[in-house]
C-alpha cells in the first residue's frame, strides 16, 4: 500500500484537482444563470435547463482546453527535460498522458450529453412559448421580434409559429456547428476503442483527425448569440424584479416599465481554446521539422519470422533505456507515425528498432526493405520519448519479467547492463539479474534469443557466468515438443533455443521463484520489473508483498510498474 | 488499407448509435416534446440495434476480444441466420430503422450516427462480409496460452 502511495500520489492529486475544478465550474455557472437578474426573463421561458446547458458549456470549454495538451509529446518531453530536478516519480506521471487524454475525452462526452439534453428541453420550451396564445409572460417575451432597428432585442430564437425546432437547429450557426461537432466527437470515440486501435490502427489514426472539425466548430459555436440576457440599459430602466408582474402593461404609455431589451452572450469558447491550439500547431510543426532531419540507416538485418532490425544514426540523437521512437516511412504512408521501443543500448553508437509484421504498415515496410535491387526507403524518426527506466540499475538484485512482445525493451536494458558491468560503471548497483522470458513460441523473437546467446558467451569469457540468470517459459507447447525435450535431457544446450539454460514449459510458478530468490539473497533489496499483461502484474505484485520480509533489514521486493 | 475489416468499426458505431437513439428517445418521451411518439419508437429501435450489435463478430485474422457476456446474445443472433449474418442486410436494416427517428430533433443524432454505421457496413468487400459467432468453447492444445 505504501509502495502504491509513493508511486501514485501525484496522479491522485492531479485527478482530484481536475475533478474538483470541473465540479466548481459547473456549480458556479449553474448558480450564475439560475440566480442572475440578467437572465430573469430568459428563465421565465426556459426554467432551470438554461443554467444546466450553460454550466455544461463552461465545463466543455475547460475540458476542450485540456484535451489537446497531453498529446503534445514534444512539449511533454521538454517538460520532462526541464524538470530533471523533480523526482523521477513525478516525471513518470508524464507517461500517463494518454490516460489523462482519455479521461478528459470521457468528461467531454458526458458534458456534451448534458448540454444537448438541456438544449433539447430549451428548444422545446421556446417552441411552446412561441405557439402559446394565452397572453402569458412567456408568450409576450417570445413575441419580441428580430427586426427592430438596434440589432434586434429579441429573446426567442424561434421567430414564427411555423418555424420548427429542426429548422432553427440546422439554420443557426450554433445548431449546425453543434451537430457537426457532436458527430465528429462520436466518430472519434467509436474508432478509438481499444479493440479498433489495436486491430486497425489506421482507422483510429485518420478518423481521429476529425478533431479539427470539433475545434473549428467550437470556436464559432457561440457567434450567433443565441443565449440572450437583458441589456444593462434595459435593466436600469425597467428592472425585472419590479416589472415582471406588470407585463400586461408594458405597452401602456404611463407605465414605468418598458419592454425589456435583450442582447446575445458573446462567444467565449475561442478564448479557451486559442492557446492550446497554438501549442498544438507548434507541436505539429516541430514534429515535421524533426522528421525532416536526416536518418542514416547503417544496417538492415532480416531476422527469422519476418522481424526486421534497423540500425540507424541521426545527428543529435541521444537515448536512454526503455525509451521509444515514432517512425514514418513516406514511401509507404505519408501521414502515419508508428511507435517502436528502442532495442539498442545507449552505449552503442547507433540506435535500433526491431519491427515485427503485425498489420498493413509493418508488412509493407518489411516488404520494402526485402527488395534486393531497389534503394533503401527513406525513414523519418521522431523521439525519443518516454521516461527512461533508470531504476533498473539501482537495485542490487533485479528480477526482469518480459511477456511476449514485452521482451523488447529488455533488449535495451540487458545490453546496457552488460556494457555498464564490463566498464565497471559506478552507477550500476546490480550484482545479479534474474530474467524471465515468457512467450507462446520463440519464432518471432529469435533475434532476442541470439542476444541472450551472445551475452551468455561474453559472460563465459569474462568468467562471470552467474551474473545473468535467465529462464525461458514456452506457453504454447504441445506433446511433441515435450517428448523431444525429454529425449534430449542430457544435452548441454537446450534443443529449442540452443541456450545453455533449459527451456521450461508452461507458466512460471512465481511462488517457487520468489522463495528461491528470497533464500539466495536474504539481505538484499530486489527490484521486480515487468513488461507484460495486467494479470501478470497483479500476481507479481502479490508475490512481492508475500515474500518481502517484515524486517526491513532482510529481503525486500519492490514491484516497479514500468511504462513501456 | 486492404486488410481493414470495416465491419468491426461499423459494429462499434452502430452500438453507439443504438445507445444515442435510446437516450434521445427517453428525453423526448419524458419531456413530452411535440411528436414525442417518435421518441417512443426511437427507444424500441435503439434497444433492438443494441441487442443485435452487442455480440462482436469473429475477426478474419487474429483473435477477437469478446464483449462481456456476449455469448448470451450470440445464441439469439445466430438463430436468425442470413438476416443477421449478412452485413449488407444489416446495412439496409439500419438505414431503414434510422429514418423514422429523423423526424424528431431529440433523436436526429441517432439517425445520423446509425446512417453512418450503415454506410461503413457497406464498405465491406463483396463476398467477404459475414458475421460469424465467436466460439465459446475453443478446442485448446494442451498448455496453449
Amino acid at each position: 500500500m505504501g509502495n502504491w502511495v509513493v508511486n501514485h500520489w501525484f496522479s491522485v492529486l492531479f485527478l482530484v484537482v481536475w475533478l474538483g475544478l470541473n465540479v466548481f465550474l459547473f456549480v458556479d455557472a449553474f448558480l450564475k444563470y439560475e440566480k442572475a437578474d440578467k437572465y430573469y426573463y430568459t428563465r421565465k421561458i426556459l426554467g432551470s435547463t438554461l443554467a444546466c446547458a450553460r454550466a455544461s458549456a463552461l465545463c466543455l470549454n475547460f475540458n476542450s482546453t485540456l484535451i489537446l495538451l497531453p498529446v503534445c509529446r514534444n512539449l511533454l518531453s521538454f517538460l520532462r527535460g526541464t524538470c530533471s530536478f523533480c523526482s523521477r516519480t513525478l516525471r513518470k506521471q508524464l507517461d500517463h498522458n494518454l490516460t489523462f487524454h482519455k479521461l478528459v475525452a470521457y468528461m467531454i462526452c458526458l458534458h456534451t450529453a448534458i448540454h444537448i439534453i438541456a438544449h433539447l428541453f430549451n428548444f422545446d420550451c421556446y417552441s411552446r412559448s412561441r405557439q402559446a396564445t394565452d397572453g402569458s409572460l412567456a408568450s409576450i417575451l417570445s413575441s419580441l421580434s428580430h427586426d427592430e432597428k438596434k440589432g434586434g432585442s429579441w429573446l426567442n430564437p424561434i421567430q414564427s409559429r411555423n418555424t420548427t425546432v429542426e429548422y432553427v437547429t440546422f439554420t443557426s450557426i450554433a445548431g449546425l456547428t453543434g451537430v457537426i461537432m457532436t458527430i465528429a466527437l462520436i466518430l472519434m470515440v467509436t474508432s478509438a476503442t481499444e479493440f479498433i486501435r489495436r486491430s486497425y490502427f489506421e482507422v483510429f489514426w485518420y478518423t481521429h483527425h476529425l478533431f479539427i472539425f470539433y475545434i473549428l466548430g467550437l470556436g464559432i459555436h457561440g457567434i450567433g448569440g443565441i443565449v440572450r440576457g437583458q441589456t444593462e440599459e434595459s435593466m436600469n430602466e425597467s428592472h425585472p424584479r419590479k416589472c415582471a408582474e406588470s407585463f400586461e402593461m408594458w405597452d401602456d404609455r404611463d407605465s414605468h416599465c418598458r419592454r425589456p431589451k435583450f442582447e446575445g452572450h458573446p462567444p467565449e469558447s475561442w478564448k479557451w481554446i486559442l492557446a492550446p491550439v497554438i501549442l498544438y500547431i507548434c507541436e505539429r510543426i516541430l514534429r515535421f521539422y524533426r522528421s525532416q532531419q536526416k536518418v542514416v540507416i547503417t544496417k538492415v538485418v532480416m531476422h527469422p519470422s519476418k522481424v526486421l532490425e534497423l540500425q540507424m544514426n541521426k545527428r543529435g540523437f541521444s537515448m536512454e533505456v526503455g525509451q521509444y521512437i515514432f517512425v514514418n516511412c513516406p514511401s509507404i504512408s505519408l501521414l502515419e507515425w508508428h511507435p517502436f521501443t528502442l532495442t539498442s543500448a545507449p552505449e552503442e553508437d547507433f540506435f535500433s528498432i526491431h519491427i515485427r509484421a503485425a498489420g498493413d504498415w509493418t508488412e509493407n515496410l518489411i516488404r520494402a526493405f526485402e527488395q534486393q535491387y531497389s534503394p533503401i526507403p527513406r525513414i523519418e524518426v521522431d523521439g525519443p520519448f518516454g521516461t527512461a527506466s533508470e531504476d533498473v540499475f539501482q537495485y542490487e538484485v533485479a528480477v526482469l519479467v518480459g511477456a511476449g512482445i514485452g521482451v523488447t525493451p529488455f533488449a535495451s536494458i540487458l545490453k546496457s547492463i552488460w556494457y555498464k558491468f564490463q566498464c565497471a560503471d559506478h552507477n550500476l548497483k546490480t550484482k545479479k539479474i534474474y530474467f524471465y522470458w515468457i512467450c507462446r513460441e520463440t519464432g518471432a523473437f529469435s533475434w532476442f534469443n541470439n542476444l541472450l546467446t551472445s551475452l551468455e558467451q561474453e559472460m563465459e569469457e569474462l568468467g562471470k557466468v552467474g551474473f545473468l540468470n535467465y529462464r525461458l517459459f514456452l506457453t504454447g507447447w504441445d506433446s511433441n515438443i515435450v517428448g523431444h525435450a525429454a529425449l534430449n535431457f542430457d544435452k548441454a544446450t537446450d534443443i529449442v533455443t540452443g541456450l545453455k539454460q533449459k527451456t521450461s514449459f508452461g507458466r512460471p510458478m512465481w511462488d517457487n521463484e520468489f522463495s528461491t530468490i528470497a533464500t539466495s539473497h536474504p539481505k538484499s533489496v530486489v527490484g521486480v520489473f515487468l513488461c507484460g499483461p495486467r494479470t501478470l502484474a497483479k500476481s507479481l505484485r502479490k508475490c512481492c508483498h508475500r515474500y518481502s520480509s517484515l524486517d526491513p533489514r532482510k529481503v525486500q521486493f519492490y514491484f516497479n510498474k514500468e511504462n513501456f | 488499407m486492404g486488410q481493414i475489416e470495416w465491419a468491426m468499426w461499423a459494429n462499434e458505431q452502430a452500438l453507439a448509435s443504438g445507445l444515442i437513439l435510446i437516450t434521445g428517445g427517453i428525453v423526448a418521451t419524458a419531456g413530452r416534446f411535440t411528436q414525442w411518439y417518435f421518441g417512443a419508437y426511437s427507444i424500441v429501435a435503439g434497444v433492438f440495434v443494441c441487442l443485435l450489435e452487442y455480440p462482436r463478430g469473429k475477426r478474419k485474422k487474429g483473435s477477437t476480444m469478446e464483449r462481456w457476456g456476449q455469448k448470451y446474445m450470440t445464441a439469439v443472433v445466430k438463430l436468425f441466420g442470413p438476416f443477421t449474418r449478412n452485413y449488407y442486410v444489416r446495412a439496409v436494416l439500419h438505414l431503414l430503422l434510422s429514418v423514422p427517428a429523423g423526424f424528431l430533433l431529440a433523436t436526429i443524432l441517432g439517425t445520423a450516427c446509425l446512417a453512418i454505421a450503415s454506410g461503413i457496413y457497406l464498405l465491406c468487400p463483396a463476398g467477404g462480409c459475414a458475421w460469424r459467432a465467436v466460439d465459446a468453447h475453443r478446442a485448446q492444445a494442451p498448455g496453449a496460452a
Side-chain angles (χ1 to χ4, degrees):
Chain A
M1 180 65 197
N3 212 356
W4 187 90
V5 172
V6 165
N7 282 330
H8 291 100
W9 68 270
F10 188 76
S11 301
V12 174
L13 180 65
F14 191 79
L15 284 177
V16 167
V17 168
W18 171 66
L19 279 171
L21 276 172
N22 271 293
V23 170
F24 169 74
L25 288 170
F26 190 93
V27 171
D28 187 62
F30 188 90
L31 289 176
K32 175 179 158 201
Y33 281 86
E34 196 56 3
K35 306 277 182 218
D37 288 332
K38 185 172 162 111
Y39 299 101
Y40 184 89
Y41 288 120
T42 325
R43 282 199 298 277
K44 279 288 170 225
I45 303 185
L46 299 179
S48 295
T49 44
L50 167 72
C52 250
R54 295 307 305 155
S56 57
L58 183 60
C59 286
L60 278 172
N61 282 337
F62 173 59
N63 285 296
S64 300
T65 307
L66 295 178
I67 192 110
L68 279 177
L69 299 175
V71 290
C72 295
R73 52 179 186 249
N74 282 297
L75 169 69
L76 294 177
S77 284
F78 174 72
L79 276 177
R80 208 180 270 123
T82 43
C83 293
S84 48
F85 55 84
C86 293
S87 82
R88 223 188 122 242
T89 327
L90 269 179
R91 280 180 287 141
K92 261 212 283 186
Q93 305 312 322
L94 290 171
D95 288 339
H96 300 299
N97 55 336
L98 288 179
T99 314
F100 185 59
H101 178 81
K102 285 182 225 173
L103 283 174
V104 175
Y106 289 138
M107 191 61 98
I108 287 183
C109 290
L110 173 67
H111 282 297
T112 303
I114 298 176
H115 189 75
I116 294 179
I117 292 175
H119 273 319
L120 284 172
F121 279 100
N122 288 341
F123 269 5
D124 188 67
C125 289
Y126 271 142
S127 178
R128 274 181 216 272
S129 58
R130 168 55 69 190
Q131 311 278 338
T133 47
D134 53 3
S136 63
L137 175 57
S139 66
I140 302 250
L141 288 170
S142 299
S143 64
L144 295 171
S145 80
H146 275 220
D147 44 37
E148 286 185 20
K149 293 265 163 62
K150 288 202 195 116
S153 65
W154 50 276
L155 176 59
N156 190 332
I158 302 181
Q159 276 303 288
S160 87
R161 273 224 178 91
N162 300 327
T163 317
T164 57
V165 291
E166 288 87 5
Y167 180 80
V168 178
T169 304
F170 287 98
T171 52
S172 63
I173 293 183
L176 195 56
T177 51
V179 172
I180 293 175
M181 279 199 280
T182 314
I183 293 185
L185 181 67
I186 292 171
L187 286 173
M188 279 197 276
V189 169
T190 56
S191 62
T193 57
E194 185 156 352
F195 177 63
I196 300 282
R197 249 183 17 247
R198 291 208 186 282
S199 319
Y200 315 106
F201 190 80
E202 288 94 356
V203 172
F204 156 68
W205 178 249
Y206 289 115
T207 315
H208 228 64
H209 283 78
L210 284 172
F211 78 88
I212 298 174
F213 289 102
Y214 176 83
I215 296 287
L216 282 176
L218 187 59
I220 57 177
H221 189 61
I223 283 184
I226 209 170
V227 176
R228 317 283 290 181
Q230 204 175 357
T231 60
E232 225 13 79
E233 201 189 308
S234 173
M235 292 222 301
N236 288 336
E237 191 184 51
S238 358
H239 198 274
R241 298 230 179 254
K242 284 189 295 179
C243 297
E245 259 108 62
S246 52
F247 65 89
E248 282 119 354
M249 298 187 290
W250 281 342
D251 288 330
D252 290 351
R253 215 162 305 163
D254 50 348
S255 152
H256 294 291
C257 297
R258 297 273 166 268
R259 281 181 166 221
K261 293 199 179 15
F262 297 94
E263 61 184 357
H265 194 262
E268 52 176 37
S269 297
W270 67 270
K271 296 180 203 162
W272 287 86
I273 58 174
L274 189 60
V277 166
I278 291 178
L279 275 173
Y280 187 75
I281 292 176
C282 290
E283 158 79 25
R284 291 301 284 249
I285 293 176
L286 185 58
R287 279 189 210 175
F288 179 72
Y289 171 70
R290 286 175 83 166
S291 71
Q292 292 307 307
Q293 293 175 318
K294 198 162 160 58
V295 173
V296 177
I297 300 181
T298 53
K299 196 164 168 192
V300 176
V301 183
M302 210 50 191
H303 291 280
S305 297
K306 296 197 95 167
V307 173
L308 172 72
E309 178 184 348
L310 290 177
Q311 294 182 4
M312 300 171 272
N313 261 321
K314 189 175 159 201
R315 217 163 58 140
F317 187 91
S318 85
M319 62 164 280
E320 297 177 61
V321 290
Q323 291 197 301
Y324 59 95
I325 53 170
F326 276 85
V327 174
N328 173 308
C329 187
S331 57
I332 296 180
S333 170
L334 264 181
L335 295 175
E336 290 177 46
W337 287 84
H338 293 257
F340 292 96
T341 313
L342 289 162
T343 49
S344 56
E347 288 85 0
E348 293 173 312
D349 55 6
F350 58 85
F351 62 94
S352 71
I353 52 173
H354 283 70
I355 303 169
R356 209 169 53 125
D360 279 348
W361 189 87
T362 38
E363 290 197 5
N364 286 332
L365 187 74
I366 292 175
R367 205 173 304 134
F369 274 91
E370 265 175 344
Q371 310 286 359
Q372 297 260 359
Y373 301 108
S374 17
I376 295 181
R378 188 168 72 93
I379 292 276
E380 293 174 356
V381 162
D382 192 14
F385 299 107
T387 305
S389 318
E390 298 149 351
D391 281 351
V392 184
F393 308 128
Q394 303 303 320
Y395 290 91
E396 217 180 295
V397 179
V399 174
L400 311 177
V401 181
I405 188 103
V407 88
T408 320
F410 289 115
S412 174
I413 292 177
L414 285 176
K415 277 196 244 185
S416 187
I417 288 185
W418 184 240
Y419 278 115
K420 288 185 161 58
F421 189 69
Q422 284 182 301
C423 319
D425 189 333
H426 298 294
N427 286 334
L428 180 71
K429 297 205 176 65
T430 319
K431 298 271 179 306
K432 192 151 180 83
I433 303 176
Y434 292 91
F435 180 62
Y436 294 90
W437 181 16
I438 306 164
C439 61
R440 213 168 279 158
E441 39 99 45
T442 56
F445 303 107
S446 62
W447 62 269
F448 193 78
N449 215 353
N450 295 337
L451 168 65
L452 285 180
T453 320
S454 63
L455 280 181
E456 205 175 38
Q457 279 174 336
E458 291 185 28
M459 283 195 297
E460 265 191 45
E461 282 165 22
L462 269 190
K464 298 276 180 201
V465 182
F467 179 66
L468 174 62
N469 182 323
Y470 54 86
R471 309 259 321 264
L472 163 63
F473 289 84
L474 283 185
T475 54
W477 54 275
D478 65 36
S479 40
N480 275 332
I481 302 180
V482 176
H484 208 206
L487 276 176
N488 291 293
F489 190 69
D490 294 330
K491 274 231 186 84
T493 52
D494 186 81
I495 40 136
V496 178
T497 57
L499 295 165
K500 290 257 165 59
Q501 303 203 15
K502 297 293 176 116
T503 308
S504 312
F505 298 98
R507 290 203 179 86
M509 301 221 279
W510 293 114
D511 281 301
N512 292 354
E513 304 295 332
F514 273 74
S515 69
T516 320
I517 297 174
T519 332
S520 324
H521 305 272
K523 288 210 168 67
S524 313
V525 177
V526 183
V528 179
F529 296 83
L530 166 72
C531 183
R534 257 179 292 229
T535 40
L536 188 49
K538 271 197 212 139
S539 351
L540 287 178
R541 198 178 272 130
K542 256 195 240 154
C543 283
C544 285
H545 283 154
R546 207 178 298 153
Y547 290 93
S548 287
S549 163
L550 286 169
D551 183 350
R553 293 167 305 171
K554 300 223 177 89
V555 68
Q556 295 293 317
F557 287 91
Y558 284 112
F559 182 70
N560 284 267
K561 183 91 182 43
E562 285 295 318
N563 245 87
F564 294 120
Chain B
M1 292 284 190
Q3 291 188 38
I4 294 180
E5 287 181 59
W6 293 101
M8 295 292 145
W9 180 28
N11 170 269
E12 303 276 341
Q13 179 69 15
L15 190 59
S17 313
L19 292 170
I20 294 170
L21 277 172
I22 296 176
T23 315
I26 292 178
V27 168
T29 320
R32 289 277 196 233
F33 293 169
T34 27
Q35 297 184 304
W36 62 270
Y37 37 86
F38 280 116
Y41 161 81
S42 179
I43 299 177
V44 174
V47 169
F48 174 72
V49 167
C50 280
L51 288 175
L52 174 63
E53 296 288 348
Y54 190 72
R56 203 177 257 140
K58 199 159 169 207
R59 279 175 69 189
K60 279 196 205 113
K61 236 173 76 164
S63 59
T64 315
M65 233 163 75
E66 282 181 53
R67 293 200 177 100
W68 180 85
Q70 80 169 40
K71 59 180 192 250
Y72 305 108
M73 267 322 291
T74 307
V76 180
V77 174
K78 262 162 79 169
L79 274 177
F80 288 92
F83 290 111
T84 46
R85 215 173 33 229
N86 190 313
Y87 284 142
Y88 290 126
V89 171
R90 280 198 195 194
V92 171
L93 179 67
H94 288 326
L95 200 56
L96 291 175
L97 280 175
S98 67
V99 168
F103 288 103
L104 191 61
L105 184 63
T107 51
I108 208 169
L109 189 63
T111 300
C113 291
L114 196 54
I116 292 176
S118 165
I120 304 174
Y121 265 127
L122 290 175
L123 284 175
C124 266
C129 248
W131 179 90
R132 286 168 310 149
V134 178
D135 305 315
H137 306 287
R138 269 161 291 188
Q140 291 197 17

